[in-house]
Amino acid sequence: MASRRTISSEKGFIEKGDATAFSPAALEKSNIAPAVPPGVIFKLLAFTFAMVVFPIGSYFATVNTIFRGKMSNSTFAGATAAFIANVVLIGYVIVAMKEDQSERLEAEEEAKKSK
């Protein structure tokens, strides 16, 4: 396994005394706001929770209630769980597309106002 050896004549970042990285001007340019809005993260977490809970819940809810008398009740209950997973996935895609459209419309309205 290869490793990098430091040569004693080389100076590291701290030893160089590069004050530009820690200057007040560099800190003012820094933007510590999250890259993704909290609403988007909340929607993703909600749909992730739904993607885990709804299909599993629908499987166990239907395997012993709706498909009790069928010969292959677990197959039908599994198909129901797969259908529910697809419904959740399609719902997420629809919500994401509507959110993207609303952001684009807001940007267009702001551009019209600034003219």
Side-chain angles (χ1 to χ4, degrees):
M1 184 163 98
S3 63
R4 182 174 187 263
R5 295 186 179 135
T6 56
I7 301 171
S8 61
S9 64
E10 290 182 358
K11 290 186 176 181
F13 176 73
I14 297 174
E15 295 169 345
K16 287 181 183 177
D18 188 12
T20 59
F22 299 108
S23 68
L27 293 175
E28 288 175 10
K29 293 178 187 176
S30 166
N31 184 4
I32 59 170
V36 180
V40 172
I41 294 173
F42 176 73
K43 288 176 192 174
L44 179 64
L45 290 175
F47 276 101
T48 301
F49 178 77
M51 193 65 161
V52 171
V53 172
F54 291 168
I56 294 172
S58 68
Y59 173 80
F60 287 111
T62 59
V63 74
N64 292 325
T65 56
I66 297 174
F67 303 119
R68 178 178 290 172
K70 306 288 184 199
M71 185 174 283
S72 59
N73 58 353
S74 62
T75 303
F76 293 131
T80 303
F83 177 75
I84 296 297
N86 284 315
V87 168
V88 171
L89 182 64
I90 291 169
Y92 178 72
V93 169
I94 291 171
V95 167
M97 287 176 60
K98 287 190 179 210
E99 180 177 332
D100 186 40
Q101 289 175 354
S102 66
E103 288 176 0
R104 187 176 55 225
L105 290 174
E106 288 175 1
E108 288 175 359
E109 287 178 7
E110 288 181 13
K112 287 180 183 178
K113 288 180 183 178
S114 65
K115 286 184 180 181

